[in-house]
PDB file of all heavy atoms in Angstrom:
ATOM      1  N   ASN Y1271       0.813  -1.214   0.000  1.00 93.00           N
ATOM      2  CA  ASN Y1271       0.000   0.000   0.000  1.00 93.00           C
ATOM      3  C   ASN Y1271       0.849   1.268   0.000  1.00 93.00           C
ATOM      4  O   ASN Y1271       0.361   2.350   0.344  1.00 93.00           O
ATOM      5  CB  ASN Y1271      -0.958  -0.019   1.193  1.00 93.00           C
ATOM      6  CG  ASN Y1271      -2.101  -0.997   0.996  1.00 93.00           C
ATOM      7  OD1 ASN Y1271      -3.090  -0.680   0.333  1.00 93.00           O
ATOM      8  ND2 ASN Y1271      -1.973  -2.197   1.550  1.00 93.00           N
ATOM      9  N   GLN Y1272       2.105   1.133  -0.398  1.00 95.00           N
ATOM     10  CA  GLN Y1272       3.007   2.270  -0.610  1.00 95.00           C
ATOM     11  C   GLN Y1272       3.283   3.079   0.654  1.00 95.00           C
ATOM     12  O   GLN Y1272       3.624   4.260   0.587  1.00 95.00           O
ATOM     13  CB  GLN Y1272       2.445   3.205  -1.695  1.00 95.00           C
ATOM     14  CG  GLN Y1272       2.110   2.514  -2.998  1.00 95.00           C
ATOM     15  CD  GLN Y1272       3.295   1.733  -3.577  1.00 95.00           C
ATOM     16  OE1 GLN Y1272       4.390   2.265  -3.673  1.00 95.00           O
ATOM     17  NE2 GLN Y1272       3.070   0.478  -3.940  1.00 95.00           N
ATOM     18  N   ALA Y1273       3.129   2.460   1.827  1.00 97.00           N
ATOM     19  CA  ALA Y1273       3.479   3.120   3.082  1.00 97.00           C
ATOM     20  C   ALA Y1273       4.952   2.831   3.402  1.00 97.00           C
ATOM     21  O   ALA Y1273       5.537   1.867   2.908  1.00 97.00           O
ATOM     22  CB  ALA Y1273       2.595   2.637   4.215  1.00 97.00           C
ATOM     23  N   LEU Y1274       5.536   3.680   4.220  1.00 98.00           N
ATOM     24  CA  LEU Y1274       6.921   3.502   4.664  1.00 98.00           C
ATOM     25  C   LEU Y1274       6.914   2.989   6.104  1.00 98.00           C
ATOM     26  O   LEU Y1274       6.641   3.754   7.037  1.00 98.00           O
ATOM     27  CB  LEU Y1274       7.674   4.829   4.586  1.00 98.00           C
ATOM     28  CG  LEU Y1274       9.112   4.825   5.118  1.00 98.00           C
ATOM     29  CD1 LEU Y1274      10.002   3.914   4.271  1.00 98.00           C
ATOM     30  CD2 LEU Y1274       9.681   6.243   5.150  1.00 98.00           C
ATOM     31  N   PRO Y1275       7.199   1.711   6.327  1.00 98.00           N
ATOM     32  CA  PRO Y1275       7.244   1.195   7.702  1.00 98.00           C
ATOM     33  C   PRO Y1275       8.442   1.752   8.458  1.00 98.00           C
ATOM     34  O   PRO Y1275       9.559   1.786   7.926  1.00 98.00           O
ATOM     35  CB  PRO Y1275       7.378  -0.321   7.516  1.00 98.00           C
ATOM     36  CG  PRO Y1275       6.985  -0.587   6.089  1.00 98.00           C
ATOM     37  CD  PRO Y1275       7.406   0.649   5.333  1.00 98.00           C
ATOM     38  N   ILE Y1276       8.198   2.210   9.679  1.00 97.00           N
ATOM     39  CA  ILE Y1276       9.268   2.710  10.549  1.00 97.00           C
ATOM     40  C   ILE Y1276       9.211   1.910  11.846  1.00 97.00           C
ATOM     41  O   ILE Y1276       8.212   1.949  12.570  1.00 97.00           O
ATOM     42  CB  ILE Y1276       9.122   4.212  10.828  1.00 97.00           C
ATOM     43  CG1 ILE Y1276       9.193   4.999   9.504  1.00 97.00           C
ATOM     44  CG2 ILE Y1276      10.204   4.697  11.788  1.00 97.00           C
ATOM     45  CD1 ILE Y1276       8.987   6.489   9.652  1.00 97.00           C
ATOM     46  N   ILE Y1277      10.275   1.177  12.122  1.00 95.00           N
ATOM     47  CA  ILE Y1277      10.297   0.219  13.227  1.00 95.00           C
ATOM     48  C   ILE Y1277      11.256   0.698  14.307  1.00 95.00           C
ATOM     49  O   ILE Y1277      12.324   1.223  14.028  1.00 95.00           O
ATOM     50  CB  ILE Y1277      10.719  -1.171  12.708  1.00 95.00           C
ATOM     51  CG1 ILE Y1277       9.645  -1.716  11.755  1.00 95.00           C
ATOM     52  CG2 ILE Y1277      10.956  -2.144  13.861  1.00 95.00           C
ATOM     53  CD1 ILE Y1277      10.034  -3.019  11.093  1.00 95.00           C
ATOM     54  N   ASN Y1278      10.831   0.501  15.556  1.00 91.00           N
ATOM     55  CA  ASN Y1278      11.707   0.757  16.693  1.00 91.00           C
ATOM     56  C   ASN Y1278      11.393  -0.273  17.760  1.00 91.00           C
ATOM     57  O   ASN Y1278      10.323  -0.901  17.744  1.00 91.00           O
ATOM     58  CB  ASN Y1278      11.495   2.174  17.239  1.00 91.00           C
ATOM     59  CG  ASN Y1278      12.599   2.592  18.214  1.00 91.00           C
ATOM     60  OD1 ASN Y1278      13.622   1.917  18.352  1.00 91.00           O
ATOM     61  ND2 ASN Y1278      12.384   3.699  18.905  1.00 91.00           N
ATOM     62  N   GLU Y1279      12.328  -0.464  18.671  1.00 86.00           N
ATOM     63  CA  GLU Y1279      12.032  -1.329  19.814  1.00 86.00           C
ATOM     64  C   GLU Y1279      11.039  -0.623  20.723  1.00 86.00           C
ATOM     65  O   GLU Y1279      11.069   0.604  20.877  1.00 86.00           O
ATOM     66  CB  GLU Y1279      13.308  -1.651  20.584  1.00 86.00           C
ATOM     67  CG  GLU Y1279      13.075  -2.639  21.716  1.00 86.00           C
ATOM     68  CD  GLU Y1279      14.264  -3.545  21.965  1.00 86.00           C
ATOM     69  OE1 GLU Y1279      15.392  -3.154  21.641  1.00 86.00           O
ATOM     70  OE2 GLU Y1279      14.052  -4.645  22.478  1.00 86.00           O
ATOM     71  N   ASN Y1280      10.131  -1.395  21.306  1.00 84.00           N
ATOM     72  CA  ASN Y1280       9.108  -0.802  22.165  1.00 84.00           C
ATOM     73  C   ASN Y1280       9.697  -0.553  23.551  1.00 84.00           C
ATOM     74  O   ASN Y1280       9.443  -1.282  24.515  1.00 84.00           O
ATOM     75  CB  ASN Y1280       7.879  -1.716  22.252  1.00 84.00           C
ATOM     76  CG  ASN Y1280       6.684  -0.999  22.837  1.00 84.00           C
ATOM     77  OD1 ASN Y1280       6.802   0.118  23.323  1.00 84.00           O
ATOM     78  ND2 ASN Y1280       5.529  -1.633  22.788  1.00 84.00           N
ATOM     79  N   ASP Y1281      10.474   0.515  23.651  1.00 69.00           N
ATOM     80  CA  ASP Y1281      11.170   0.834  24.904  1.00 69.00           C
ATOM     81  C   ASP Y1281      10.218   1.233  26.019  1.00 69.00           C
ATOM     82  O   ASP Y1281      10.618   1.288  27.186  1.00 69.00           O
ATOM     83  CB  ASP Y1281      12.163   1.980  24.667  1.00 69.00           C
ATOM     84  CG  ASP Y1281      13.320   1.563  23.776  1.00 69.00           C
ATOM     85  OD1 ASP Y1281      13.871   0.477  24.008  1.00 69.00           O
ATOM     86  OD2 ASP Y1281      13.657   2.315  22.849  1.00 69.00           O
ATOM     87  N   THR Y1282       8.962   1.527  25.689  1.00 67.00           N
ATOM     88  CA  THR Y1282       8.019   1.943  26.731  1.00 67.00           C
ATOM     89  C   THR Y1282       7.603   0.782  27.616  1.00 67.00           C
ATOM     90  O   THR Y1282       7.146   0.994  28.737  1.00 67.00           O
ATOM     91  CB  THR Y1282       6.763   2.581  26.109  1.00 67.00           C
ATOM     92  OG1 THR Y1282       6.113   1.618  25.279  1.00 67.00           O
ATOM     93  CG2 THR Y1282       7.129   3.794  25.291  1.00 67.00           C
ATOM     94  N   VAL Y1283       7.727  -0.451  27.142  1.00 68.00           N
ATOM     95  CA  VAL Y1283       7.282  -1.601  27.942  1.00 68.00           C
ATOM     96  C   VAL Y1283       8.373  -2.642  28.149  1.00 68.00           C
ATOM     97  O   VAL Y1283       8.291  -3.445  29.074  1.00 68.00           O
ATOM     98  CB  VAL Y1283       6.048  -2.289  27.298  1.00 68.00           C
ATOM     99  CG1 VAL Y1283       4.877  -1.323  27.238  1.00 68.00           C
ATOM    100  CG2 VAL Y1283       6.365  -2.817  25.914  1.00 68.00           C
ATOM    101  N   ALA Y1284       9.382  -2.674  27.275  1.00 58.00           N
ATOM    102  CA  ALA Y1284      10.370  -3.748  27.335  1.00 58.00           C
ATOM    103  C   ALA Y1284      11.301  -3.576  28.529  1.00 58.00           C
ATOM    104  O   ALA Y1284      11.714  -2.473  28.860  1.00 58.00           O
ATOM    105  CB  ALA Y1284      11.189  -3.782  26.042  1.00 58.00           C
ATOM    106  N   VAL Y1285      11.594  -4.686  29.189  1.00 56.00           N
ATOM    107  CA  VAL Y1285      12.623  -4.707  30.218  1.00 56.00           C
ATOM    108  C   VAL Y1285      13.801  -5.492  29.656  1.00 56.00           C
ATOM    109  O   VAL Y1285      13.713  -6.112  28.599  1.00 56.00           O
ATOM    110  CB  VAL Y1285      12.115  -5.351  31.525  1.00 56.00           C
ATOM    111  CG1 VAL Y1285      11.063  -4.458  32.171  1.00 56.00           C
ATOM    112  CG2 VAL Y1285      11.527  -6.734  31.256  1.00 56.00           C
ATOM    113  N   ASN Y1286      14.930  -5.461  30.364  1.00 56.00           N
ATOM    114  CA  ASN Y1286      16.165  -5.960  29.777  1.00 56.00           C
ATOM    115  C   ASN Y1286      16.062  -7.365  29.210  1.00 56.00           C
ATOM    116  O   ASN Y1286      16.557  -7.644  28.123  1.00 56.00           O
ATOM    117  CB  ASN Y1286      17.295  -5.916  30.822  1.00 56.00           C
ATOM    118  CG  ASN Y1286      17.808  -4.494  31.037  1.00 56.00           C
ATOM    119  OD1 ASN Y1286      17.604  -3.643  30.191  1.00 56.00           O
ATOM    120  ND2 ASN Y1286      18.456  -4.262  32.157  1.00 56.00           N
ATOM    121  N   GLU Y1287      15.401  -8.279  29.947  1.00 47.00           N
ATOM    122  CA  GLU Y1287      15.366  -9.652  29.477  1.00 47.00           C
ATOM    123  C   GLU Y1287      14.450  -9.838  28.271  1.00 47.00           C
ATOM    124  O   GLU Y1287      14.460 -10.878  27.631  1.00 47.00           O
ATOM    125  CB  GLU Y1287      14.945 -10.600  30.607  1.00 47.00           C
ATOM    126  CG  GLU Y1287      13.553 -10.341  31.188  1.00 47.00           C
ATOM    127  CD  GLU Y1287      13.606  -9.394  32.380  1.00 47.00           C
ATOM    128  OE1 GLU Y1287      14.572  -8.621  32.478  1.00 47.00           O
ATOM    129  OE2 GLU Y1287      12.677  -9.446  33.200  1.00 47.00           O
ATOM    130  N   LEU Y1288      13.630  -8.817  27.947  1.00 48.00           N
ATOM    131  CA  LEU Y1288      12.741  -8.906  26.793  1.00 48.00           C
ATOM    132  C   LEU Y1288      13.179  -7.990  25.665  1.00 48.00           C
ATOM    133  O   LEU Y1288      12.474  -7.821  24.678  1.00 48.00           O
ATOM    134  CB  LEU Y1288      11.300  -8.548  27.207  1.00 48.00           C
ATOM    135  CG  LEU Y1288      10.619  -9.496  28.188  1.00 48.00           C
ATOM    136  CD1 LEU Y1288       9.229  -8.989  28.520  1.00 48.00           C
ATOM    137  CD2 LEU Y1288      10.549 -10.900  27.629  1.00 48.00           C
ATOM    138  N   LYS Y1289      14.365  -7.400  25.778  1.00 60.00           N
ATOM    139  CA  LYS Y1289      14.811  -6.439  24.779  1.00 60.00           C
ATOM    140  C   LYS Y1289      15.753  -7.084  23.768  1.00 60.00           C
ATOM    141  O   LYS Y1289      16.545  -7.956  24.115  1.00 60.00           O
ATOM    142  CB  LYS Y1289      15.527  -5.259  25.448  1.00 60.00           C
ATOM    143  CG  LYS Y1289      14.603  -4.341  26.228  1.00 60.00           C
ATOM    144  CD  LYS Y1289      15.398  -3.298  26.997  1.00 60.00           C
ATOM    145  CE  LYS Y1289      16.043  -2.270  26.102  1.00 60.00           C
ATOM    146  NZ  LYS Y1289      15.064  -1.361  25.485  1.00 60.00           N
ATOM    147  N   VAL Y1290      15.646  -6.663  22.522  1.00 64.00           N
ATOM    148  CA  VAL Y1290      16.691  -6.982  21.561  1.00 64.00           C
ATOM    149  C   VAL Y1290      17.975  -6.298  22.016  1.00 64.00           C
ATOM    150  O   VAL Y1290      19.061  -6.864  21.952  1.00 64.00           O
ATOM    151  CB  VAL Y1290      16.292  -6.510  20.144  1.00 64.00           C
ATOM    152  CG1 VAL Y1290      17.447  -6.728  19.168  1.00 64.00           C
ATOM    153  CG2 VAL Y1290      15.043  -7.236  19.677  1.00 64.00           C
ATOM    154  N   GLY Y1291      17.840  -5.044  22.503  1.00 65.00           N
ATOM    155  CA  GLY Y1291      18.947  -4.356  23.149  1.00 65.00           C
ATOM    156  C   GLY Y1291      19.623  -3.299  22.307  1.00 65.00           C
ATOM    157  O   GLY Y1291      20.149  -2.336  22.841  1.00 65.00           O
ATOM    158  N   ASP Y1292      19.621  -3.473  20.998  1.00 83.00           N
ATOM    159  CA  ASP Y1292      20.205  -2.458  20.119  1.00 83.00           C
ATOM    160  C   ASP Y1292      19.511  -2.550  18.775  1.00 83.00           C
ATOM    161  O   ASP Y1292      19.028  -3.605  18.373  1.00 83.00           O
ATOM    162  CB  ASP Y1292      21.706  -2.668  19.969  1.00 83.00           C
ATOM    163  CG  ASP Y1292      22.031  -3.959  19.237  1.00 83.00           C
ATOM    164  OD1 ASP Y1292      22.116  -3.933  17.998  1.00 83.00           O
ATOM    165  OD2 ASP Y1292      22.166  -5.001  19.905  1.00 83.00           O
ATOM    166  N   ASN Y1293      19.472  -1.424  18.070  1.00 87.00           N
ATOM    167  CA  ASN Y1293      18.741  -1.384  16.815  1.00 87.00           C
ATOM    168  C   ASN Y1293      19.559  -1.869  15.621  1.00 87.00           C
ATOM    169  O   ASN Y1293      19.014  -2.026  14.531  1.00 87.00           O
ATOM    170  CB  ASN Y1293      18.189   0.021  16.562  1.00 87.00           C
ATOM    171  CG  ASN Y1293      16.863   0.230  17.264  1.00 87.00           C
ATOM    172  OD1 ASN Y1293      16.353  -0.683  17.917  1.00 87.00           O
ATOM    173  ND2 ASN Y1293      16.285   1.405  17.127  1.00 87.00           N
ATOM    174  N   ASP Y1294      20.847  -2.119  15.809  1.00 92.00           N
ATOM    175  CA  ASP Y1294      21.605  -2.784  14.754  1.00 92.00           C
ATOM    176  C   ASP Y1294      21.079  -4.207  14.564  1.00 92.00           C
ATOM    177  O   ASP Y1294      20.746  -4.624  13.447  1.00 92.00           O
ATOM    178  CB  ASP Y1294      23.099  -2.822  15.088  1.00 92.00           C
ATOM    179  CG  ASP Y1294      23.726  -1.434  15.146  1.00 92.00           C
ATOM    180  OD1 ASP Y1294      23.343  -0.576  14.326  1.00 92.00           O
ATOM    181  OD2 ASP Y1294      24.581  -1.207  16.015  1.00 92.00           O
ATOM    182  N   ASN Y1295      20.979  -4.943  15.666  1.00 90.00           N
ATOM    183  CA  ASN Y1295      20.453  -6.307  15.581  1.00 90.00           C
ATOM    184  C   ASN Y1295      18.966  -6.312  15.266  1.00 90.00           C
ATOM    185  O   ASN Y1295      18.474  -7.224  14.585  1.00 90.00           O
ATOM    186  CB  ASN Y1295      20.757  -7.077  16.869  1.00 90.00           C
ATOM    187  CG  ASN Y1295      22.172  -7.622  16.895  1.00 90.00           C
ATOM    188  OD1 ASN Y1295      22.512  -8.513  16.125  1.00 90.00           O
ATOM    189  ND2 ASN Y1295      23.016  -7.084  17.765  1.00 90.00           N
ATOM    190  N   LEU Y1296      18.219  -5.306  15.753  1.00 92.00           N
ATOM    191  CA  LEU Y1296      16.812  -5.207  15.376  1.00 92.00           C
ATOM    192  C   LEU Y1296      16.694  -5.017  13.858  1.00 92.00           C
ATOM    193  O   LEU Y1296      15.791  -5.568  13.224  1.00 92.00           O
ATOM    194  CB  LEU Y1296      16.126  -4.056  16.109  1.00 92.00           C
ATOM    195  CG  LEU Y1296      14.625  -3.887  15.833  1.00 92.00           C
ATOM    196  CD1 LEU Y1296      13.842  -5.132  16.211  1.00 92.00           C
ATOM    197  CD2 LEU Y1296      14.084  -2.664  16.576  1.00 92.00           C
ATOM    198  N   GLY Y1297      17.614  -4.246  13.286  1.00 94.00           N
ATOM    199  CA  GLY Y1297      17.645  -4.092  11.835  1.00 94.00           C
ATOM    200  C   GLY Y1297      17.867  -5.419  11.133  1.00 94.00           C
ATOM    201  O   GLY Y1297      17.245  -5.711  10.105  1.00 94.00           O
ATOM    202  N   ALA Y1298      18.766  -6.246  11.687  1.00 92.00           N
ATOM    203  CA  ALA Y1298      19.021  -7.565  11.094  1.00 92.00           C
ATOM    204  C   ALA Y1298      17.792  -8.453  11.194  1.00 92.00           C
ATOM    205  O   ALA Y1298      17.415  -9.126  10.221  1.00 92.00           O
ATOM    206  CB  ALA Y1298      20.212  -8.223  11.795  1.00 92.00           C
ATOM    207  N   TYR Y1299      17.152  -8.473  12.372  1.00 90.00           N
ATOM    208  CA  TYR Y1299      15.935  -9.275  12.525  1.00 90.00           C
ATOM    209  C   TYR Y1299      14.849  -8.809  11.558  1.00 90.00           C
ATOM    210  O   TYR Y1299      14.121  -9.619  10.969  1.00 90.00           O
ATOM    211  CB  TYR Y1299      15.414  -9.194  13.961  1.00 90.00           C
ATOM    212  CG  TYR Y1299      16.279  -9.902  14.978  1.00 90.00           C
ATOM    213  CD1 TYR Y1299      16.648  -9.267  16.171  1.00 90.00           C
ATOM    214  CD2 TYR Y1299      16.727 -11.196  14.768  1.00 90.00           C
ATOM    215  CE1 TYR Y1299      17.446  -9.907  17.106  1.00 90.00           C
ATOM    216  CE2 TYR Y1299      17.515 -11.842  15.699  1.00 90.00           C
ATOM    217  CZ  TYR Y1299      17.879 -11.199  16.868  1.00 90.00           C
ATOM    218  OH  TYR Y1299      18.659 -11.836  17.791  1.00 90.00           O
ATOM    219  N   THR Y1300      14.739  -7.494  11.373  1.00 93.00           N
ATOM    220  CA  THR Y1300      13.742  -6.953  10.447  1.00 93.00           C
ATOM    221  C   THR Y1300      14.046  -7.391   9.026  1.00 93.00           C
ATOM    222  O   THR Y1300      13.136  -7.736   8.258  1.00 93.00           O
ATOM    223  CB  THR Y1300      13.705  -5.417  10.540  1.00 93.00           C
ATOM    224  OG1 THR Y1300      13.401  -5.027  11.882  1.00 93.00           O
ATOM    225  CG2 THR Y1300      12.661  -4.845   9.605  1.00 93.00           C
ATOM    226  N   ALA Y1301      15.333  -7.388   8.652  1.00 92.00           N
ATOM    227  CA  ALA Y1301      15.715  -7.851   7.315  1.00 92.00           C
ATOM    228  C   ALA Y1301      15.332  -9.311   7.109  1.00 92.00           C
ATOM    229  O   ALA Y1301      14.885  -9.705   6.023  1.00 92.00           O
ATOM    230  CB  ALA Y1301      17.219  -7.659   7.112  1.00 92.00           C
ATOM    231  N   LEU Y1302      15.480 -10.109   8.155  1.00 88.00           N
ATOM    232  CA  LEU Y1302      15.101 -11.520   8.064  1.00 88.00           C
ATOM    233  C   LEU Y1302      13.593 -11.668   7.925  1.00 88.00           C
ATOM    234  O   LEU Y1302      13.109 -12.428   7.075  1.00 88.00           O
ATOM    235  CB  LEU Y1302      15.599 -12.278   9.300  1.00 88.00           C
ATOM    236  CG  LEU Y1302      17.112 -12.346   9.506  1.00 88.00           C
ATOM    237  CD1 LEU Y1302      17.441 -12.974  10.848  1.00 88.00           C
ATOM    238  CD2 LEU Y1302      17.774 -13.127   8.388  1.00 88.00           C
ATOM    239  N   ILE Y1303      12.845 -10.947   8.770  1.00 88.00           N
ATOM    240  CA  ILE Y1303      11.384 -11.041   8.718  1.00 88.00           C
ATOM    241  C   ILE Y1303      10.855 -10.582   7.367  1.00 88.00           C
ATOM    242  O   ILE Y1303       9.985 -11.223   6.762  1.00 88.00           O
ATOM    243  CB  ILE Y1303      10.738 -10.182   9.830  1.00 88.00           C
ATOM    244  CG1 ILE Y1303      11.120 -10.691  11.219  1.00 88.00           C
ATOM    245  CG2 ILE Y1303       9.212 -10.176   9.692  1.00 88.00           C
ATOM    246  CD1 ILE Y1303      10.658  -9.788  12.347  1.00 88.00           C
ATOM    247  N   ALA Y1304      11.371  -9.455   6.894  1.00 89.00           N
ATOM    248  CA  ALA Y1304      10.866  -8.844   5.664  1.00 89.00           C
ATOM    249  C   ALA Y1304      11.424  -9.517   4.416  1.00 89.00           C
ATOM    250  O   ALA Y1304      11.032  -9.155   3.301  1.00 89.00           O
ATOM    251  CB  ALA Y1304      11.217  -7.357   5.638  1.00 89.00           C
ATOM    252  N   GLN Y1305      12.342 -10.480   4.594  1.00 85.00           N
ATOM    253  CA  GLN Y1305      12.993 -11.153   3.467  1.00 85.00           C
ATOM    254  C   GLN Y1305      13.606 -10.122   2.515  1.00 85.00           C
ATOM    255  O   GLN Y1305      13.455 -10.189   1.292  1.00 85.00           O
ATOM    256  CB  GLN Y1305      12.000 -12.077   2.751  1.00 85.00           C
ATOM    257  CG  GLN Y1305      11.533 -13.224   3.645  1.00 85.00           C
ATOM    258  CD  GLN Y1305      10.552 -14.153   2.957  1.00 85.00           C
ATOM    259  OE1 GLN Y1305       9.408 -13.794   2.729  1.00 85.00           O
ATOM    260  NE2 GLN Y1305      11.007 -15.354   2.621  1.00 85.00           N
ATOM    261  N   ALA Y1306      14.301  -9.163   3.132  1.00 91.00           N
ATOM    262  CA  ALA Y1306      15.008  -8.140   2.365  1.00 91.00           C
ATOM    263  C   ALA Y1306      16.267  -8.738   1.761  1.00 91.00           C
ATOM    264  O   ALA Y1306      16.727  -9.812   2.163  1.00 91.00           O
ATOM    265  CB  ALA Y1306      15.355  -6.961   3.272  1.00 91.00           C
ATOM    266  N   ASP Y1307      16.847  -8.034   0.783  1.00 92.00           N
ATOM    267  CA  ASP Y1307      18.124  -8.477   0.239  1.00 92.00           C
ATOM    268  C   ASP Y1307      19.279  -7.623   0.735  1.00 92.00           C
ATOM    269  O   ASP Y1307      20.433  -7.956   0.507  1.00 92.00           O
ATOM    270  CB  ASP Y1307      18.099  -8.478  -1.295  1.00 92.00           C
ATOM    271  CG  ASP Y1307      17.637  -7.156  -1.886  1.00 92.00           C
ATOM    272  OD1 ASP Y1307      18.233  -6.117  -1.561  1.00 92.00           O
ATOM    273  OD2 ASP Y1307      16.663  -7.162  -2.664  1.00 92.00           O
ATOM    274  N   THR Y1308      18.951  -6.522   1.463  1.00 95.00           N
ATOM    275  CA  THR Y1308      19.992  -5.581   1.884  1.00 95.00           C
ATOM    276  C   THR Y1308      19.653  -4.952   3.230  1.00 95.00           C
ATOM    277  O   THR Y1308      18.503  -4.604   3.474  1.00 95.00           O
ATOM    278  CB  THR Y1308      20.154  -4.454   0.839  1.00 95.00           C
ATOM    279  OG1 THR Y1308      20.440  -5.029  -0.433  1.00 95.00           O
ATOM    280  CG2 THR Y1308      21.262  -3.490   1.217  1.00 95.00           C
ATOM    281  N   LEU Y1309      20.666  -4.812   4.079  1.00 97.00           N
ATOM    282  CA  LEU Y1309      20.582  -4.019   5.308  1.00 97.00           C
ATOM    283  C   LEU Y1309      21.611  -2.904   5.198  1.00 97.00           C
ATOM    284  O   LEU Y1309      22.798  -3.165   4.984  1.00 97.00           O
ATOM    285  CB  LEU Y1309      20.872  -4.879   6.542  1.00 97.00           C
ATOM    286  CG  LEU Y1309      21.066  -4.135   7.872  1.00 97.00           C
ATOM    287  CD1 LEU Y1309      19.788  -3.404   8.284  1.00 97.00           C
ATOM    288  CD2 LEU Y1309      21.523  -5.091   8.980  1.00 97.00           C
ATOM    289  N   ILE Y1310      21.142  -1.660   5.319  1.00 97.00           N
ATOM    290  CA  ILE Y1310      22.036  -0.500   5.299  1.00 97.00           C
ATOM    291  C   ILE Y1310      22.060   0.111   6.694  1.00 97.00           C
ATOM    292  O   ILE Y1310      21.037   0.596   7.177  1.00 97.00           O
ATOM    293  CB  ILE Y1310      21.570   0.554   4.274  1.00 97.00           C
ATOM    294  CG1 ILE Y1310      21.479  -0.054   2.872  1.00 97.00           C
ATOM    295  CG2 ILE Y1310      22.510   1.757   4.273  1.00 97.00           C
ATOM    296  CD1 ILE Y1310      20.873   0.876   1.832  1.00 97.00           C
ATOM    297  N   ILE Y1311      23.200   0.056   7.360  1.00 96.00           N
ATOM    298  CA  ILE Y1311      23.350   0.607   8.699  1.00 96.00           C
ATOM    299  C   ILE Y1311      23.973   1.990   8.574  1.00 96.00           C
ATOM    300  O   ILE Y1311      25.148   2.126   8.209  1.00 96.00           O
ATOM    301  CB  ILE Y1311      24.209  -0.300   9.593  1.00 96.00           C
ATOM    302  CG1 ILE Y1311      23.564  -1.684   9.744  1.00 96.00           C
ATOM    303  CG2 ILE Y1311      24.422   0.336  10.965  1.00 96.00           C
ATOM    304  CD1 ILE Y1311      24.387  -2.669  10.554  1.00 96.00           C
TER     305      ILE Y1311
END
């Protein structure tokens, strides 16, 4: 639908044991979920 998804960790509720912890790895997980061919950090 031509929208631009913007993803962030839900820091408002996550505690340490439930956190990815950094958005570099969150970017990698997103690339895996979205079946992307490229991650640009």
Side-chain angles (χ1 to χ4, degrees):
N1271 286 278
Q1272 307 305 311
L1274 176 65
I1276 299 177
I1277 294 175
N1278 193 10
E1279 185 147 25
N1280 194 351
D1281 292 315
T1282 61
V1283 298
V1285 292
N1286 284 340
E1287 61 268 23
L1288 295 179
K1289 289 173 70 70
V1290 175
D1292 66 89
N1293 275 359
D1294 295 323
N1295 279 292
L1296 182 59
Y1299 290 132
T1300 302
L1302 297 173
I1303 297 173
Q1305 295 180 288
D1307 52 55
T1308 304
L1309 169 64
I1310 303 173
I1311 299 177

